[in-house]
């Protein structure tokens, strides 16, 4: 059975050597001293390794079962959920006014990485509740906040988001779910939603569904969509639970992975709901939490890859196969361990350099969200630009990394008892939900590059330029800055191609959007590795005792710059080939 240990040392390095959180003026950061964050992360790691990780294969094997209209979760999930609630883990960055601990979002991000690595399907129950909490917190009335948020903060009640319908996924303008106004200010919600993660379960007393539906007078398309609070059980004025609402589970979807999470078809048969936010402004309410939600899915991409890498590394050190080409490394054994072979090391270095770079990118994104919460408009613009890259690039590469980890095992990686198959199957969904990655690429190229007249993307290029210039006098940094300069120029060339060709031939831009997302992703990780290398050199210059960690960090970064960043050239060549190769065939020639 796979094991997992939280990589808290790397998280501490990012928080304190790279982001320097306790020295930041960002609200809430001054309290994040190293001893405090270490204690929080260590406690989360203990819960993850001792309680959550052992349940990961259990959830995968058992899945969820629909019995008499109620979803039953796998064995052990209820006790683990109680342990998570009792530890206050569901309330880390929630508003203290409603029982939260008020920590910065970056701490919630770090802790959730640990929980996702240990058991992605289980963590979704509280993770999705956080999204629903955020929407109500941002758009609810004072009465709605007081009624729902305290119980959602503690996860005594959980939450969902109901968007997708059988005939429409990304194109929400085709939505058929209706909301009919009633005389008392409520609405009757009628329709069917699919792919609703944690749509029903036995872990909480109540489930607060947030449902997108069309109310009269809103017009066609997405302009007519509103967002409604539809509880599973009605909530009385004194906070107690009343009768069951007219919402039910049609079935549990049979999925490729995340079996421990109940993905439901939800039927609303005249269920009573209450408007959340403004009428016909449901899309605005939904997008309030989109940056956090999509960053959270990107986090899932590398967090599962982290767990898969840890197990692949252990296997590579233990499994004896063949002899090192340069001479025997294990003379007392019948063969050398797998890790002596260059191709296995290439695979492990691909995984390690991706996971550590993606973690840095995600923590930086969370840091920008914290800054935006503090009123920094530039940070908000930048994280909005980076969000499709965080979600799309990291989940694509996270899946690839999980496959590489499985490959290290050879045939054993294909056998269920070793657990590597689950990492691959679980990681796959992150490329699809919360906006499929092709849509992320279209959002990046079609909307985000031109946002605010191009101000955020120009700020990003200036940031990369300034980072390179800051290390001009340090010869040790040349492997990083030289490679980053080349990659940044390639990203700018791709953007220029879109500007020169996109208006006259939109397909020229859209055909290259996916490559642009990956090109920008590599540049972002190159920027992260440059920052991490600089921080590691500074730590070594300061006389740290753990030289192996910091020297290893620099060597891993050099690997990424030498072996991964050159992919930017390939992506640029594909972009500059334009739309013709993509659009050449007629429909009937496929």
């Amino acid at each position: 059975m796979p094991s997992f240990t939280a990589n808290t040392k790397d998280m501490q390095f990012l928080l304190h050597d790279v982001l320097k959180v306790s020295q930041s003026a960002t609200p809430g950061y001054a309290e994040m001293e190293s001893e405090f964050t270490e204690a929080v992360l260590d406690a989360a790691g203990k819960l993850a390794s001792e309680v959550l990780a052992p349940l990961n294969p259990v959830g995968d094997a058992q899945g969820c079962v629909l019995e008499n209209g109620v979803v039953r979760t796998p064995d052990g999930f209820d006790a683990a959920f109680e342990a998570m609630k009792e530890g206050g883990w569901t309330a880390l960055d929630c508003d203290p006014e409603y029982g939260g601990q008020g920590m910065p979002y970056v701490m919630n991000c770090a802790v959730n990485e640990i929980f996702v690595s240990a058991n992605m399907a289980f963590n979704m129950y509280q993770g999705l509740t956080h999204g629903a909490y955020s929407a109500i917190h941002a758009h609810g009335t004072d009465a709605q906040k007081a009624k729902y948020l305290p119980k959602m903060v503690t996860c005594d009640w959980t939450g969902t988001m109901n968007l997708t319908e059988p005939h429409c996924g990304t194109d929400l303008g085709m939505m058929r779910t209706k909301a009919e106004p009633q005389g008392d200010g409520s609405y009757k919600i009628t329709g069917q939603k699919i792919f609703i993660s944690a749509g029903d379960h036995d872990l909480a007393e109540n489930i607060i569904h947030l449902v997108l539906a069309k109310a009269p007078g809103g017009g066609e398309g997405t302009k007519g969509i509103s967002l409604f609070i539809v509880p599973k059980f009605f909530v009385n004025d004194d906070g107690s639970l009343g009768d069951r609402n007219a919402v039910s589970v049609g079935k549990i979807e049979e999925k490729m992975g995340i079996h421990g999470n109940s993905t439901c078809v939800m039927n609303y048969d005249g269920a009573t709901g209450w408007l959340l936010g403004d009428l016909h402004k449901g899309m605005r309410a939904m997008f309030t939490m989109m940056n956090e939600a999509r960053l959270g899915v990107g986090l899932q991409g590398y967090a599962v890859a982290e767990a898969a890498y840890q197990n692949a590394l252990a296997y590579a050190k233990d499994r004896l196969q063949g002899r090192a080409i340069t001479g025997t490394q294990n003379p007392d054994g019948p063969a050398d361990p797998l890790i002596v072979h260059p191709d296995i090391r290439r695979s492990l270095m691909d995984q390690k350099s991706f996971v550590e770079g993606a973690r840095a990118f995600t923590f930086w994104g969370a840091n920008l969200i914290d800054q935006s919460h503090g009123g920094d408009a530039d940070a908000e613009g930048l994280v909005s630009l980076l969000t499709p890259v965080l979600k799309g690039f990291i989940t694509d590469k996270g899946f690839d990394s999980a496959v590489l980890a499985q490959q290290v095992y050879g045939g054993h990686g294909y056998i269920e008892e070793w657990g590597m198959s689950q990492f691959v199957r679980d990681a796959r969904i992150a490329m699809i939900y919360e906006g499929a990655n092709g849509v992320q690429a279209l959002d990046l190229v079609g909307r985000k590059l031109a946002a605010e007249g191009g101000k955020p993307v120009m700020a990003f290029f200036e940031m990369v330029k300034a980072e390179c210039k800051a290390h001009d006098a340090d010869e040790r940094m040349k492997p990083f800055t030289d490679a980053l300069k080349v990659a940044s120029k390639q990203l700018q060339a791709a953007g220029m191609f879109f500007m020169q060709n996109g208006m006259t031939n939109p397909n020229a831009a859209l055909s290259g959007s996916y490559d642009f997302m990956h090109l920008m992703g590599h540049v972002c990780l190159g920027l992260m590795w440059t920052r991490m290398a600089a921080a590691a050199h500074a730590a070594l210059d300061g006389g740290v005792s753990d030289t192996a960690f910091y020297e290893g960090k620099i060597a891993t970064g050099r690997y990424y710059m030498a072996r991964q960043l050159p992919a930017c050239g390939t992506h640029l060549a594909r972009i500059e080939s334009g739309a013709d190769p993509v659009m050449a065939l007629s429909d009937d020639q496929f």
Side-chain angles (χ1 to χ4, degrees):
M1 184 175 74
S3 61
F4 169 71
T5 302
N7 195 347
T8 57
K9 186 173 184 62
D10 199 46
M11 293 180 176
Q12 285 285 90
F13 166 72
L14 291 174
L15 291 172
H16 300 286
D17 291 72
V18 179
L19 293 174
K20 300 183 184 299
V21 290
S22 62
Q23 302 172 34
S24 170
T26 301
Y29 275 33
E31 292 80 16
M32 291 207 296
E33 296 291 344
S34 179
E35 295 79 7
F36 171 74
T37 58
E38 182 179 26
V40 173
L41 296 176
D42 284 348
K46 188 174 188 292
L47 177 65
S49 60
E50 295 181 2
V51 178
L52 305 187
L55 290 176
N56 202 34
V58 175
D60 187 53
Q62 291 185 8
C64 297
V65 179
L66 180 61
E67 294 179 347
N68 301 319
V70 177
V71 173
R72 305 299 179 190
T73 53
D75 292 346
F77 271 41
D78 53 351
F81 203 65
E82 286 303 311
M84 180 171 278
K85 289 163 56 179
E86 289 171 6
W89 298 110
T90 65
L92 282 186
D93 67 328
C94 295
D95 190 340
E97 183 176 346
Y98 304 103
Q101 298 181 40
M103 292 187 198
Y105 177 67
V106 71
M107 279 304 294
N108 184 69
C109 177
V111 167
N112 271 279
E113 180 202 319
I114 293 172
F115 293 158
V116 170
S117 291
N119 196 326
M120 174 176 165
F122 173 86
N123 193 61
M124 289 171 66
Y125 291 101
Q126 69 95 9
L128 289 157
T129 304
H130 190 280
Y133 155 88
S134 296
I136 296 174
H137 190 269
H139 296 282
T141 64
D142 289 343
Q144 288 173 332
K145 294 176 188 179
K147 190 171 193 175
Y148 297 109
L149 293 188
K151 292 285 190 179
M152 295 178 74
V153 166
T154 61
C155 272
D156 289 331
W157 301 348
T158 60
T160 70
M161 280 294 296
N162 287 237
L163 286 73
T164 307
E165 298 184 8
H167 59 283
C168 71
T170 302
D171 191 355
L172 293 174
M174 296 172 62
M175 186 178 299
R176 293 175 185 163
T177 299
K178 299 295 184 184
E180 293 294 334
Q182 306 299 298
D184 61 357
S186 67
Y187 289 76
K188 291 296 183 184
I189 312 297
T190 302
Q192 185 178 78
K193 299 290 185 176
I194 63 170
F195 306 155
I196 308 307
S197 299
D200 196 82
H201 54 82
D202 55 1
L203 302 178
E205 302 167 346
N206 201 6
I207 301 174
I208 311 304
H209 301 289
L210 300 189
V211 184
L212 286 177
K214 288 190 173 181
E220 296 298 317
T222 58
K223 294 179 180 179
I225 294 175
S226 301
L227 185 62
F228 298 90
I229 299 175
V230 187
K232 177 180 177 180
F233 291 99
F234 293 116
V235 181
N236 298 320
D237 290 340
D238 63 357
S240 63
L241 297 183
D243 295 335
R244 175 77 182 256
N245 206 346
V247 52
S248 61
V249 181
K251 70 171 183 176
I252 301 175
E253 301 286 6
E254 295 185 14
K255 312 184 295 292
M256 176 178 174
I258 54 169
H259 295 155
N261 193 268
S262 54
T263 305
C264 300
V265 173
M266 302 300 297
N267 295 322
Y268 293 87
D269 300 307
T272 302
W274 290 268
L275 183 67
L276 177 60
D278 296 329
L279 187 65
H280 308 314
K281 302 293 184 182
M283 295 301 291
R284 184 177 68 182
M286 184 185 70
F287 276 105
T288 295
M289 60 182 185
M290 199 57 70
N291 286 346
E292 290 184 26
R294 288 179 171 171
L295 183 145
V297 175
L299 181 150
Q300 289 180 329
Y302 82 81
V304 174
E306 165 71 32
Y309 164 70
Q310 287 188 16
N311 287 277
L313 176 61
Y315 187 83
K317 290 181 176 180
D318 182 69
R319 176 75 167 174
L320 302 181
Q321 291 281 284
R323 292 294 188 186
I325 195 69
T326 54
T328 298
Q329 301 295 306
N330 180 32
D332 296 330
D336 291 333
L338 280 172
I339 200 167
V340 306
H341 303 301
D343 191 59
I344 294 294
R345 284 179 170 261
R346 170 202 58 80
S347 174
L348 293 171
M349 287 297 287
D350 278 352
Q351 296 168 58
K352 178 178 172 64
S353 64
F354 161 71
V355 167
E356 293 180 13
R359 177 180 294 118
F361 186 21
T362 304
F363 279 31
W364 178 42
N367 171 232
L368 290 172
I369 288 175
D370 280 329
Q371 292 177 34
S372 71
H373 288 168
D376 188 333
D378 291 339
E380 184 173 359
L382 185 56
V383 78
S384 182
L385 168 72
L386 297 175
T387 292
V389 186
L390 282 158
K391 195 281 183 184
F393 176 74
I394 292 181
T395 58
D396 276 354
K397 303 302 286 187
F399 175 75
D400 291 347
S401 189
V403 171
L404 285 174
Q406 182 188 38
Q407 187 76 9
V408 170
Y409 280 69
H412 290 298
Y414 203 66
I415 303 300
E416 290 294 341
E417 68 180 272
W418 289 87
M420 301 307 288
S421 165
Q422 184 185 354
F423 293 132
V424 172
R425 289 184 284 104
D426 286 356
R428 185 64 182 88
I429 186 57
M431 302 162 69
I432 298 173
Y433 62 17
E434 205 61 55
N437 286 355
V439 175
Q440 301 299 325
L442 296 178
D443 178 46
L444 174 64
V445 170
R447 294 176 63 239
K448 299 300 176 62
L449 290 184
E452 299 180 52
K455 180 182 176 182
V457 72
M458 295 308 297
F460 174 77
F461 286 132
E462 285 301 313
M463 187 177 293
V464 173
K465 182 179 178 181
E467 187 69 35
C468 292
K469 189 173 183 179
H471 308 297
D472 275 348
D474 192 342
E475 282 294 316
R476 301 172 301 179
M477 290 295 295
K478 284 186 68 63
F480 295 89
T481 56
D482 286 354
L484 183 57
K485 287 175 185 176
V486 171
S488 179
K489 288 178 181 177
Q490 289 167 331
L491 181 62
Q492 292 177 64
M496 186 61 67
F497 177 84
F498 291 154
M499 288 179 61
Q500 293 172 344
N501 297 276
M503 293 298 292
T504 56
N505 183 9
N507 283 337
L510 300 184
S511 296
S513 61
Y514 212 94
D515 280 287
F516 187 87
M517 180 177 72
H518 273 250
L519 201 170
M520 191 166 184
H522 280 298
V523 172
C524 288
L525 261 64
L527 175 62
M528 294 301 101
W529 274 115
T530 302
R531 289 178 175 175
M532 286 190 284
H537 279 303
L540 289 168
D541 292 344
V544 291
S545 58
D546 189 2
T547 58
F549 171 82
Y550 292 98
E551 290 171 352
K553 182 65 69 174
I554 294 166
T556 305
R558 283 177 179 160
Y559 178 91
Y560 192 89
M561 307 307 274
R563 299 277 303 205
Q564 295 297 319
L565 212 56
C568 292
T570 299
H571 290 302
L572 176 60
R574 290 173 179 169
I575 290 167
E576 291 181 335
S577 72
D580 289 347
V582 176
M583 307 301 293
L585 297 183
S586 62
D587 293 356
D588 58 6
Q589 287 179 305
F590 278 92

